Amino acid sequence: MTKDYHNFINGTFGKQASTALLEVLNPATNETIGHVPNSSRAEVDAAVAAAKEAQTGWERLPPIHRAGYLRKISKKVRDNKERLAELITREQGKVLGLAQVEVDFTADYIDYMAEWARRIEGEVITSDRPNETILLLRKAVGVIAGILPWNFPFFLIARKLAPALVAGNTIVIKPSEETPLNAFAFAELVAECDLPPGVFNLVGGSRETGAALAGHRDVNLVSFTGSVGTGVHIMRAAAENLTRVNLELGGKAPAIVLASADLNLAANAVYQSRILNSGQVCNCAERVYVERPVLQAFTDKVVALMKSTTYGDPLKDRSVSMGPLVSAAQLAKVASAVELARTQGAQLALGGKIADRGGGNHYEPTVLVDCNHDMEIMRTETFGPVLPIQAIDSLDEGIRYANDSEYGLTSSIFSNDLNAVMHACRELKFGETYVNREHFEAMQGFHAGRRKSGIGGADGKHGLYEYMETQVVYLQTK
């Protein structure tokens, strides 16, 4: 059964007869499951105009009132958890349990950001003049364009919408054309919450729609999560109006495993990185540097775990631990990366082929050994269930290889030697470093990358303030 959705602009769903449609496929079967608008520039203009019109009144509301609307939305999300999770699985391919976690985390994140309504702070600054008080105030940026990725499409709505709204902004969301249905289902829930018209708007569309949003003269901040290439295009479009950007882009996260590590813990954490969402997570470990004395033992443990992975259509067999890749294009990209690694000298310890599951975009869990740092598989984001392993002879060698990357989002170190751990944390040049645990951030942290992994960040107090700007008031009295 398929469903056609319509844009949500200024508080209503409107059917625009002139709008072309985008087909949405189930990646486990490649069957059509729905259609969304491929929005024109005129529809983008209408959504931005609605957001601009609503913004002043929304910002004038006390923050705690804005937070009340967010809590209504989070309750709707929780009340519809099972339906939303199944829709996410159907269009994105992640296993149902992970989709349920995504829905729960989304609701929790909205509530967490709502709690900041009473915690937004300014400053009182000492003046050089008698009887003058200098105040630093925090105010909303204005209209936000939120452009979403396909790997955690539902959560990323909240990551952009919740801080934006509690800070007094209004927003126009454009979901990925690969996974837009969950965003339209979210809009249906928002429509039941009496949110003032124009505060939240949703337009479907392709890259051209995203470009129209990023280059719009009335957008004050573009918040984008996705690939480096698309991030560059968005930054160029935003530059025309000197619009500020917040970009979370790609990653090639290194994990360093030392001889002093708990190898069972390290192998399981790295394994989870490679099968979580079929390896399609920008902050999960994508390359591993292992000290030579424990190289074989670690490799054997990871191969055994990867070999035990069950995969297929997560709605037909809810016991599988991994679903398909999101698209045929992504499947081809992963297969090509593995073949290139083999031509460059990497050896297959496991997998290495497109898997036949009666249709869909399935790839075998794959382990590559005898890798070296010059190989593309160690340098370019793969985004699939593929683990390349390279031997190192010291921690400093591992740090040198880890830092030699155009990316700088996340990293990890596995060791029971506190001195080694602290040395790594001082030297690793990444926005996040995980010690003896899996790569996954907390909502109260600050998820931010270096180099080509992005500009700005998300989550916590610092993520909230990404959606605010300052005004300094010089208050002279007698």
Side-chain angles (χ1 to χ4, degrees):
M1 173 179 277
T2 65
K3 182 175 179 179
D4 293 351
Y5 293 86
H6 306 295
N7 288 333
F8 185 70
I9 298 174
N10 205 29
T12 61
F13 290 97
K15 184 175 182 180
Q16 295 85 13
S18 61
T19 300
L21 295 179
L22 295 173
E23 184 181 37
V24 183
L25 304 179
N26 179 341
T29 64
N30 284 325
E31 297 172 336
T32 301
I33 56 174
H35 298 88
V36 300
N38 189 6
S39 300
S40 64
R41 182 173 293 272
E43 290 165 280
V44 170
D45 288 343
V48 173
K52 184 178 180 181
E53 177 69 22
Q55 195 274 321
T56 301
W58 178 250
E59 185 177 7
R60 284 174 179 165
L61 289 177
I64 196 65
H65 290 186
R66 300 195 292 261
Y69 286 104
L70 288 177
R71 291 192 175 95
K72 288 182 182 180
I73 294 170
S74 67
K75 184 178 186 305
K76 287 287 184 181
V77 169
R78 289 191 179 91
D79 290 346
N80 290 272
K81 172 182 173 178
E82 299 304 324
R83 178 174 67 86
L84 291 168
E86 184 166 324
L87 179 58
I88 293 167
T89 293
R90 190 174 301 281
E91 69 172 332
Q92 198 276 329
K94 58 171 54 80
V95 296
L96 190 60
L98 182 58
Q100 292 168 340
V101 169
E102 183 173 355
V103 175
D104 284 336
F105 196 78
T106 297
D108 289 348
Y109 193 93
I110 294 171
D111 282 342
Y112 168 77
M113 281 297 171
E115 292 170 4
W116 278 96
R118 288 194 174 102
R119 295 178 173 87
I120 297 170
E121 297 177 346
E123 299 175 21
V124 179
I125 302 170
T126 301
S127 173
D128 294 340
R129 300 172 59 167
N131 302 322
E132 181 181 64
T133 302
I134 303 174
L135 305 175
L136 185 146
L137 309 178
R138 294 191 186 273
K139 295 191 172 183
V141 173
V143 175
I144 310 298
I147 303 176
L148 309 183
W150 48 257
N151 59 339
F152 284 92
F154 196 71
F155 166 60
L156 264 295
I157 302 171
R159 195 178 232 175
K160 299 183 188 307
L161 173 142
L165 265 57
V166 78
N169 306 285
T170 55
I171 195 164
V172 180
I173 291 283
K174 189 204 85 71
S176 166
E177 55 267 44
E178 301 280 6
T179 56
L181 304 186
N182 65 90
F184 284 86
F186 178 86
E188 290 174 342
L189 299 181
V190 172
E192 300 172 4
C193 292
D194 300 320
L195 191 69
V199 171
F200 165 74
N201 306 272
L202 178 71
V203 293
S206 60
R207 287 189 176 187
E208 289 73 20
T209 307
L213 261 179
H216 203 287
R217 59 186 291 181
D218 290 328
V219 166
N220 303 105
L221 168 68
V222 183
S223 180
F224 167 73
T225 303
S227 71
V228 172
T230 304
V232 170
H233 287 301
I234 284 173
M235 197 168 180
R236 284 176 181 155
E240 187 70 26
N241 298 301
L242 294 180
T243 303
R244 67 179 66 184
V245 296
N246 177 284
L247 307 174
E248 185 200 336
L249 306 177
K252 188 68 177 177
I256 300 173
V257 180
L258 300 184
S260 58
D262 178 333
L263 293 187
N264 288 326
L265 183 154
N268 188 65
V270 170
Y271 164 68
Q272 292 299 330
S273 278
R274 299 316 331 130
I275 69 159
L276 181 70
N277 204 20
S278 304
Q280 300 169 123
V281 186
C282 58
N283 57 327
C284 278
E286 274 226 351
R287 50 189 171 121
V288 185
Y289 302 100
V290 185
E291 273 198 307
R292 207 173 296 275
V294 294
L295 175 65
Q296 192 60 55
F298 174 83
T299 301
D300 290 344
K301 290 178 184 295
V302 168
V303 168
L305 288 167
M306 294 283 270
K307 193 172 183 178
S308 71
T309 303
T310 56
Y311 56 99
D313 184 339
L315 289 180
K316 285 186 178 177
D317 182 357
R318 301 195 175 191
S319 68
V320 298
S321 50
M322 191 175 79
L325 297 174
V326 73
S327 66
Q330 185 63 23
L331 179 65
K333 177 186 172 185
V334 171
S336 177
V338 173
E339 286 307 305
L340 178 59
R342 295 183 68 185
T343 65
Q344 293 178 334
Q347 301 297 311
L348 278 174
L350 183 72
K353 298 190 299 295
I354 293 173
D356 183 5
R357 287 296 184 270
N361 311 313
H362 303 278
Y363 197 81
E364 294 179 343
T366 297
V367 179
L368 291 163
V369 296
D370 295 339
C371 297
N372 67 67
H373 190 63
D374 293 329
M375 294 178 179
E376 282 296 306
I377 200 73
M378 300 297 288
R379 307 187 70 87
T380 303
E381 190 173 44
T382 307
F383 238 49
V386 177
L387 179 67
I389 300 174
Q390 176 177 339
I392 55 172
D393 291 308
S394 69
L395 171 58
D396 285 337
E397 183 183 21
I399 291 171
R400 185 170 71 252
Y401 287 140
N403 287 339
D404 182 21
S405 174
E406 65 180 3
Y407 302 103
L409 188 57
T410 74
S411 57
S412 63
I413 172 77
F414 293 88
S415 172
N416 288 324
D417 180 341
L418 181 60
N419 289 322
V421 166
M422 293 308 300
H423 177 66
C425 291
R426 286 191 295 268
E427 297 297 324
L428 287 168
K429 300 183 186 303
F430 291 82
E432 294 173 355
T433 297
Y434 300 93
V435 179
N436 295 329
R437 56 159 285 188
E438 77 285 358
H439 288 220
F440 214 82
E441 69 274 17
M443 65 179 71
Q444 65 270 35
F446 186 54
H447 185 60
R450 301 184 185 183
R451 300 182 290 281
K452 287 188 178 180
S453 285
I455 296 172
D459 308 336
K461 174 178 72 175
H462 301 289
L464 171 66
Y465 288 159
E466 292 277 313
Y467 292 89
M468 305 192 81
E469 56 190 2
T470 59
Q471 178 184 6
V472 176
V473 175
Y474 296 85
L475 182 59
Q476 183 71 58
T477 57
K478 292 182 180 180

